[in-house]
Amino acid sequence: MTDKTVLNETHRALGARMVDFGGWDMPINYGSQIEEHHAVRQDAGMFDVSHMTVIDLHGDGTRDFLRHLVANNVDKLKVQGKALYTCMLNEHGGVIDDLIVYFFDEAHFRLVVNAATRAKDLAWIQQQAAAFGIEVKERPDFAMIAVQGPQARAKVLGLLHDIDRPRIEKLGKFAAAAGQGPGGMPLFVARTGYTGEDGFEIIVPNEHAVALWNALADAGVRPAGLGARDTLRLEAGMNLYGQDMDEDVSPWEANLGWTIALDEGRDFIGRAALEKQKAEGVKRVMVGLVLDDKGVLRHGQKVLTANGEGEILSGSFAPTLNKAVAFARIPVGEPGDVRVDIRGREVPVRIVKYPFVRDGKPQPGI
Amino acid sequence: MSEIPGDLKFLKSHEWARAEDSGLVRVGISDHAQGQLGDLVYVELPEIGSQVKAGEGAAVVESVKAASDIYSPVTGEVVEINEELNDNPETINEDAFGKGWIFAVKPSDRGELDELLSADEYAEVMENDDH
């Protein structure tokens, strides 16, 4: 049986093409993935991301628990509402999941983890939490709507209660605050996203989700499907769990070294393995690829380099660039002329620094 | 559901074939298929002069999300390809049964056309697809 978000009927009424997404019946597009992609880059679009898992952690030792659980250091979270992107690792330094941690107070933090990894994440967190006496509480009573694009913040701010607007307008990147939306509905508004555009991710009680969605639509925010979300995040250089990293890949190998905090005296799960890997030298690196010829780079295609074979992780046509781009994991070292095997044809590609697109603009050299 | 032209024959895998007066068989994908695939961004056309076999891959269409093999409905030699698709693959999205044709084959055995689905039979396949 597939899970449905509280917005399922709304998507169907909008004529969405629905697909199975990690056990959830989700909209892939509402007609044209490319138009939805451009709407987010140029104006404002919204995504139903209620399939993502919200987990509240309660207990006096929650910060200590999170110091142990995740590779980034939650001591960076000093101010209420501040958020942190991090990986949760296994003992071998492999990525169990990537997630966002929100800080409410010392006895209450919130995690937002991926949809497809929900069961294993919960089991792992519960197992680790036992020793710390932390309460792990899933919040299926919440829906989540991501509003993204250069006009996203303005359009959301217009729906907020006057008393909340100035405070939420001043919210810095990767920070969140509570406020009230249309009809006084309670909102948790975070200045985070997965598209490379400015915007908010809004957590709202299920019973208000449809009203919020409709209010956003009335404010000119265009519904966008998970198809557009994928091309947007690829252009923005953001990893997708399961495609760009998994339990056999360390953050070093997934270009997420910046999320690892090897601060002194903190013994997080996977730390020893990460330090060993670093000392011995990381064998594989993640790079960006651009295909200047016609064609599309796809997950699983072989990448040929001077040092041996690698493979395409996320790959797609990039609507903002009008050509194909990809992430690939290749052997470390000078790669020489790089080619990708597309159905038996060896096609030359360029290695580039990503993000491919930032703030709506193709990056130089892409 | 979209109109299905009655003069076309179909494969279950959504390719259409049109027997023309010239003796050629023109091939494309159905309107239903283009709708399922979404925005098309690239078409890998066969080479003129290449041999194709009934039921085997002859071309590839790529949407933003995925690549799909296009099977030839008949065996024969590719004599025309729709070069327009090199620059405007979305022509298939706009006019799947017309300007969005992909290639044309000089068939070695026109009898193979009899084994394809009629428009009505294909409509039934689609209905089952939707369930």
Side-chain angles (χ1 to χ4, degrees), chain A residues 40-63:
Chain A
V40 173
R41 283 273 179 260
Q42 292 158 14
D43 185 34
M46 60 180 159
F47 306 87
D48 176 14
V49 288
S50 307
H51 58 311
M52 295 188 76
T53 312
V54 180
I55 301 167
D56 279 343
L57 302 175
H58 294 278
D60 287 338
T62 304
R63 188 184 289 274

Side-chain angles (χ1 to χ4, degrees), chain B:
Chain B
M1 193 183 296
S2 54
E3 265 318 90
I4 304 174
D7 63 327
L8 298 182
K9 297 279 204 170
F10 291 86
L11 286 176
K12 266 186 192 161
S13 47
H14 306 290
E15 292 84 355
W16 56 256
R18 177 181 279 129
E20 297 185 336
D21 295 341
S22 61
L24 299 185
V25 174
R26 202 161 298 272
V27 180
I29 63 169
S30 72
D31 192 55
H32 175 76
Q34 70 75 20
Q36 292 287 332
L37 291 167
D39 302 298
L40 293 175
V41 293
Y42 177 64
V43 181
E44 193 177 289
L45 295 164
E47 277 177 37
I48 288 184
S50 63
Q51 295 293 318
V52 292
K53 274 195 184 151
E56 291 188 3
V60 177
V61 294
E62 303 219 33
S63 67
V64 184
K65 199 65 202 150
S68 308
D69 285 318
I70 302 305
Y71 302 110
S72 182
V74 291
T75 303
E77 182 189 340
V78 175
V79 292
E80 285 181 39
I81 53 174
N82 188 355
E83 309 243 15
E84 164 78 9
L85 300 178
N86 281 328
D87 294 323
N88 300 303
E90 68 277 10
T91 307
I92 296 178
N93 293 117
E94 289 154 9
D95 189 8
F97 291 129
K99 289 191 187 115
W101 66 277
I102 299 172
F103 58 93
V105 179
K106 189 174 171 191
S108 50
D109 174 9
R110 288 178 74 84
E112 282 176 343
L113 287 165
D114 299 334
E115 289 160 38
L116 302 177
L117 303 174
S118 69
D120 287 347
E121 287 164 334
Y122 176 66
E124 243 170 77
V125 168
M126 275 196 295
E127 229 163 272
N128 292 331
D129 245 27
D130 289 337
H131 284 277

Side-chain angles (χ1 to χ4, degrees), chain A residues 19-38:
Chain A
V19 293
D20 184 329
F21 189 87
W24 291 80
D25 185 49
M26 299 300 286
I28 185 92
N29 64 60
Y30 300 83
S32 169
Q33 176 174 341
I34 290 184
E35 284 172 23
E36 291 158 25
H37 178 110
H38 291 318

Side-chain angles (χ1 to χ4, degrees), chain A residues 285-307:
Chain A
V285 290
M286 191 164 139
V287 295
L289 300 180
V290 172
L291 175 65
D292 292 312
D293 284 351
K294 285 182 189 295
V296 186
L297 302 170
R298 300 286 184 193
H299 177 71
Q301 287 171 347
K302 210 184 289 174
V303 182
L304 308 159
T305 81
N307 302 305

Side-chain angles (χ1 to χ4, degrees), chain A residues 236-257:
Chain A
M238 295 173 181
N239 286 19
L240 173 64
Y241 191 81
Q243 208 159 70
D244 304 316
M245 61 204 167
D246 55 39
E247 292 187 32
D248 297 320
V249 173
S250 78
W252 302 130
E253 299 167 316
N255 226 356
L256 293 174

